[in-house]
Amino acid sequence: MEGSIQTLKLRAEEILEQLTLDEKIGMIHGNELFRTKGVERLGIPPLTMSDGPCGVRADFKEREWIPVGNTDDYVTYLPCNSAIASTWDRNLAGRAGSILGEEARGRGKDVILAPGMNLKRTPLCGRNFEYFSEDPFLTSQLATEHVKGVQSWDVAACLKHFALNHQETARLEVDEEIDEEVLRDLYLQVFKDVIDDANPYSIMSAYNKIYGEYCSQSKFLLGDILRGEWGYDGFVVSDWGAVHDTVKAAEADIDCEMSVTYDFDDYKFANPLKEKVLSGEVDEALIDKKVLHILILMLRLNMIGEDRLERKDASYNTMAARQNCLEIARGSVVLLKNDGILPLIRPVIKEKKILVIGENANRIHSNGGGSAEIKALYEISPLMGLKSRIGGSTKIDYLPGYCSKIDADMTPEGTNWQAISLENSGGKSAGEEKAKKELSEYRKKIREEALSKCMDYDYVIFVGGLNHEIDTEGLDRKDISLPYEQDELIEALLEKRPDTIVCMIGGGAVDMTKWLSNCKALIYMYYNGMEGGNALAEVIIGDIAPSGHLAETFYCSAKDSSGVSLGDCGDEKLVHYREGFDIGYRYTCKHNIPVQFPFGYGLTYSEFELSDLQLKLNGRILKGKLENKGEVDATQVVQIYRLADETKDYISLVGFEKIYLRAGGIMDFEIPVKDKSGMGKYAVGFDVLHLQEV
């Protein structure tokens, strides 16, 4: 529906006047696990929400965490937000959002609970794969396009988690101690930028506390800042189970309470709130404000009245969505090392033998991660991608080499992880010793099998890393070490086969220092959607040149992160943001801390050169030339940083552009410089550590 907020508000107020107290109460809390109650007599439908960031989640029964089990909720599996960020491509971020919005609309959802926008303060957060980056500018730029893509389909995007949701450990109770300037100008500014530039229709409040107040009940966060200073007029929903006190939440600027339990009439915004209104303890006008925001949302989405005929139709599982998934996946694969081994071009490997080692080569990831889990229409594994891309002339064999575990964890019958997530304080410490004696012996057996056979092949490809037993909601990592005894396997493998191509899959940095210096070819890929295996295979065999760049620092150790070394991340009750503005590369650059790979880093199969760099329009535009000096068509990301000075003592990204060039090509470019002061010194390059001052 088109119209100003004043027009929408007037229409919403007309509807509001016709509602009874019971009807209003029904609209502001869950009546099912993902749905509120409608008002049939006025043609007001329930508001239907769904996870998540990688695709529209499978349908559950209305009042139980039991999958419906039909075949109609298989969907397109999108690359995770960390993968989207590693494309450094605004267009691809927008296309990812459009797929998510179209499929949410096609599945009959009104609000898709995405994107996740929390900055990667520490590499240990179990939900980092759901977030874009450690950098606020890159996050806001890509999230803006993602939100626009979602909402182009008459579906509301929902920014989350507002705010400071940087750990899963004790996530339901942890309190954040932070300087207000850092809170406002770093962590909240990312949300404000996207609100200003994309007008997201909804926001989800976080589980944790800020300054002793739960975010879902915080007058400071939701009232003073979001509604007051920013003038946000959208819909604010709690994370599931994040409301703790009826009166405090009623007086705060949150519009709807959702939870994971089945006692819907006992939610804080259900019968308990009605009783508070009838007793006079809570003013009914507070409920009216909440319902008004919900009605405005419904009008924006063409959900009520005659506008319903104007609401967009949409499909899901389309060929176009799958092709877009492939292009996003292609753009996200990051080449970290290559001493001339890659690519394995088709004429060279014809009639040769390739051994693929590693459990992640033969594993899918769409069905894990917490609320990011979905029922993917399909998912191409790396093994499948290689076999289907190379064809029958090259023999490809597979050995697991390592295993994550033998027996699956069991949950009580009729539940899943989310149904019991409020019982264990919403998080636990990851990395407990899983391997019993039998498991260790089994791992040794399959490791030795892989090592004994690796010399019989012309090429060896190892595919390892993490999985959603580790990268998951409700669980933080203990450190960034590789699990499942992978280091032992890789070290021995590189000793026997120095030409082994190592591919890592995961949601964030892993410690590769034990064998990195001996590795000649290294690729990193995030959880890359349904076409991830095809994209990885295309990079390995040279069908495409890799173009991904890291959107986070790959530390040598978790302790090299300021969020861990200074902020005591993982404190059960209180986290201190002592690092201030110095997160990610800002901290490592300031203190010259060695890293495995810096923020912005990524190689390709060609060589690029910058020249004729100059600032125009008082530093608001960078002009220059980019030349592809190699023999391969390829893509490069030109990155602009403001250097540290007396007014801002950390380096910061202020501009970027991804540019494709034919072999030998050269082009002029202009890139906007997003620096509010416009007074700094700037440098340009292809990652944060290799820059030339302008």
Side-chain angles (χ1 to χ4, degrees):
M1 167 188 175
E2 297 297 329
S4 67
I5 183 61
Q6 291 81 6
T7 301
L8 294 176
K9 187 176 180 181
L10 287 173
R11 289 190 61 189
E13 287 173 342
E14 291 176 359
I15 300 171
L16 177 64
E17 290 176 357
Q18 305 175 60
L19 293 170
T20 67
L21 175 61
D22 284 336
E23 288 170 338
K24 288 184 283 190
I25 290 285
M27 291 178 65
I28 63 173
H29 71 86
N31 188 53
E32 300 172 19
L33 292 175
F34 283 95
R35 184 175 292 149
T36 62
K37 193 173 185 179
V39 183
E40 187 174 356
R41 71 179 182 89
L42 296 178
I44 300 173
L47 189 65
T48 303
M49 294 167 266
S50 178
D51 294 312
C54 297
V56 188
R57 198 173 182 185
D59 287 326
F60 292 91
K61 293 184 177 181
E62 294 178 358
R63 293 172 176 263
E64 295 178 286
W65 287 104
I66 298 176
V68 172
N70 294 335
T71 60
D72 59 348
D73 54 0
Y74 288 92
V75 293
T76 301
Y77 172 35
L78 284 159
C80 69
N81 281 349
S82 293
I84 293 170
S86 69
T87 70
W88 288 64
D89 191 314
R90 297 174 180 86
N91 177 265
L92 291 180
R95 285 157 73 178
S98 182
I99 295 169
L100 192 55
E102 181 180 17
E103 300 219 340
R105 181 71 191 103
R107 287 272 306 281
K109 315 301 182 184
D110 305 311
V111 180
I112 189 73
L113 305 175
M117 289 185 46
N118 298 106
L119 300 181
K120 297 187 180 186
R121 174 179 175 258
T122 157
L124 302 181
C125 177
R127 299 186 79 171
N128 270 350
F129 73 97
E130 293 188 48
Y131 305 145
F132 288 97
S133 173
E134 67 189 35
D135 181 77
F137 179 69
L138 182 61
T139 295
S140 62
Q141 290 286 295
L142 299 181
T144 291
E145 299 307 314
H146 195 274
V147 168
K148 290 177 181 177
V150 168
Q151 296 190 164
S152 67
W153 290 97
D154 286 344
V155 169
C158 185
L159 307 188
K160 63 182 189 182
H161 308 85
F162 193 68
L164 302 188
N165 191 165
H166 298 122
Q167 69 177 57
E168 293 300 287
T169 302
R171 64 179 179 165
L172 298 183
E173 56 194 9
V174 66
D175 193 4
E176 320 285 8
E177 182 181 273
I178 185 171
D179 182 87
E180 187 173 333
E181 182 184 13
V182 176
L183 171 67
R184 287 175 172 274
D185 294 348
L186 179 60
Y187 295 106
L188 297 188
Q189 187 64 43
V190 180
F191 285 89
K192 186 177 187 304
D193 287 344
V194 178
I195 289 171
D196 289 344
D197 295 338
N199 189 26
Y201 296 156
S202 64
I203 287 179
M204 179 189 290
S205 60
Y207 281 124
N208 51 276
K209 300 175 184 176
I210 294 179
Y211 304 142
E213 279 189 311
Y214 286 107
C215 290
S216 293
Q217 302 167 184
S218 173
K219 293 182 180 179
F220 168 71
L221 183 65
L222 302 181
D224 296 347
I225 296 178
L226 181 64
R227 299 292 196 194
E229 295 176 23
W230 298 358
Y232 183 68
D233 52 37
F235 169 66
V236 179
V237 63
S238 75
D239 205 339
W240 269 230
V243 172
H244 298 264
D245 185 281
T246 295
V247 174
K248 289 180 179 179
E251 293 175 346
D253 281 272
I254 189 165
D255 302 317
C256 183
E257 176 200 7
M258 302 297 289
S259 191
V260 303
T261 58
Y262 313 148
D263 55 337
F264 303 105
D265 291 338
D266 296 326
Y267 281 13
K268 302 296 187 296
F269 275 6
N271 287 336
L273 179 57
K274 180 180 178 180
E275 293 172 4
K276 298 291 184 183
V277 173
L278 294 177
S279 69
E281 190 173 348
V282 171
D283 190 336
E284 188 173 346
L286 296 175
I287 298 175
D288 290 347
K289 285 176 59 179
K290 303 177 191 303
V291 175
L292 193 68
H293 289 133
I294 294 172
L295 291 171
I296 289 172
L297 173 69
M298 290 182 169
L299 289 168
R300 281 172 162 159
L301 300 179
N302 295 321
M303 291 178 61
I304 50 182
E306 295 180 358
D307 301 328
R308 288 179 296 179
L309 298 176
E310 299 178 16
R311 196 172 190 190
K312 290 184 179 178
D313 294 323
S315 303
Y316 58 105
N317 291 325
T318 65
M319 290 291 292
R322 296 194 281 278
Q323 182 60 37
N324 277 321
C325 268
L326 177 58
E327 293 183 23
I328 297 164
R330 285 169 171 165
S332 76
V333 178
V334 185
L335 179 63
L336 296 176
K337 288 189 73 173
N338 185 26
D339 291 349
I341 293 176
L342 291 168
L344 304 181
I345 58 175
R346 294 175 187 271
V348 174
I349 61 176
K350 192 176 181 67
E351 302 296 334
K352 302 292 186 179
K353 295 192 301 180
I354 298 176
L355 178 61
V356 179
I357 301 172
E359 184 182 89
N360 263 357
N362 196 37
R363 183 173 185 143
I364 64 172
H365 301 280
S366 53
N367 57 357
S371 58
E373 65 191 18
I374 62 165
K375 283 172 64 175
L377 182 65
Y378 65 82
E379 181 180 348
I380 303 296
S381 68
L383 182 62
M384 180 63 176
L386 284 165
K387 285 196 170 186
S388 62
R389 281 293 188 270
I390 292 175
S393 297
T394 301
K395 178 178 173 58
I396 300 178
D397 291 329
Y398 166 74
L399 291 171
Y402 73 92
C403 76
S404 55
K405 60 183 180 180
I406 297 176
D407 297 317
D409 291 333
M410 301 298 291
T411 56
E413 185 176 357
T415 70
N416 75 348
W417 70 270
Q418 193 154 357
I420 60 174
S421 66
L422 302 187
E423 298 175 11
N424 60 12
S425 298
K428 57 184 178 180
S429 179
E432 299 99 339
E433 182 61 43
K434 296 179 181 179
K436 297 179 181 179
K437 183 178 180 181
E438 318 77 78
L439 180 55
S440 183
E441 290 176 350
Y442 177 71
R443 284 177 174 159
K444 182 179 179 181
K445 176 185 175 182
I446 61 175
R447 179 166 65 241
E448 290 178 347
E449 180 186 20
L451 293 171
S452 68
K453 294 184 177 180
C454 69
M455 299 302 295
D456 299 334
Y457 291 80
D458 300 292
Y459 303 98
V460 177
I461 301 172
F462 174 82
V463 186
L466 307 175
N467 55 46
H468 283 313
E469 294 168 10
I470 294 170
D471 287 319
T472 188
E473 182 173 355
L475 195 72
D476 285 325
R477 296 163 67 185
K478 182 179 179 181
D479 51 43
I480 62 171
S481 60
L482 278 172
Y484 317 129
E485 302 175 15
Q486 290 181 76
D487 281 326
E488 291 89 329
L489 172 58
I490 300 171
E491 285 183 276
L493 193 57
L494 289 172
E495 185 175 344
K496 297 190 74 168
R497 291 298 302 262
D499 59 343
T500 297
I501 298 165
V502 178
C503 305
M504 288 285 135
I505 296 174
V510 291
D511 180 0
M512 302 174 283
T513 56
K514 291 181 179 178
W515 45 265
L516 187 58
S517 61
N518 296 324
C519 178
K520 296 183 178 180
L522 176 61
I523 295 172
Y524 193 91
M525 185 174 80
Y526 290 91
Y527 303 115
N528 216 358
M530 63 199 310
E531 290 287 341
N534 281 333
L536 180 61
E538 288 178 342
V539 167
I540 289 173
I541 64 178
D543 283 356
I544 61 170
S547 64
H549 286 244
L550 294 178
E552 62 184 298
T553 302
F554 269 40
Y555 305 98
C556 295
S557 164
K559 294 180 180 179
D560 293 333
S561 158
S562 61
V564 177
S565 62
L566 300 179
D568 59 294
C569 178
D571 187 315
E572 289 294 322
K573 295 183 179 180
L574 182 65
V575 169
H576 306 277
Y577 284 61
R578 296 189 181 98
E579 71 278 6
F581 290 100
D582 295 339
I583 66 169
Y585 68 87
R586 298 176 173 190
Y587 178 71
T588 57
C589 288
K590 178 186 289 188
H591 298 283
N592 295 314
I593 297 171
V595 298
Q596 293 180 101
F597 298 100
F599 175 84
Y601 185 85
L603 303 175
T604 187
Y605 294 149
S606 195
E607 297 293 332
F608 286 84
E609 183 175 279
L610 290 163
S611 61
D612 296 346
L613 299 173
Q614 51 185 315
L615 291 166
K616 296 291 187 181
L617 298 178
N618 295 322
R620 292 196 296 270
I621 297 288
L622 174 76
K623 299 182 66 174
K625 294 182 184 294
L626 180 68
E627 182 178 2
N628 182 347
K629 300 175 71 72
E631 300 178 354
V632 177
D633 300 345
T635 304
Q636 185 57 271
V637 178
V638 179
Q639 304 165 33
I640 309 169
Y641 294 85
R642 175 177 171 171
L643 300 176
D645 57 28
E646 62 277 1
T647 63
K648 185 178 287 187
D649 66 350
Y650 54 83
I651 189 172
S652 57
L653 181 72
V654 292
F656 66 90
E657 195 68 46
K658 194 167 190 176
I659 301 172
Y660 172 80
L661 278 177
R662 297 278 190 183
I666 187 169
M667 71 169 290
D668 296 318
F669 65 80
E670 291 188 357
I671 302 175
V673 178
K674 301 292 186 178
D675 182 15
K676 292 180 181 178
S677 72
M679 302 287 289
K681 293 183 178 179
Y682 304 99
V684 185
F686 306 139
D687 67 67
V688 74
L689 291 187
H690 302 90
L691 300 171
Q692 49 183 305
E693 192 168 339
V694 183

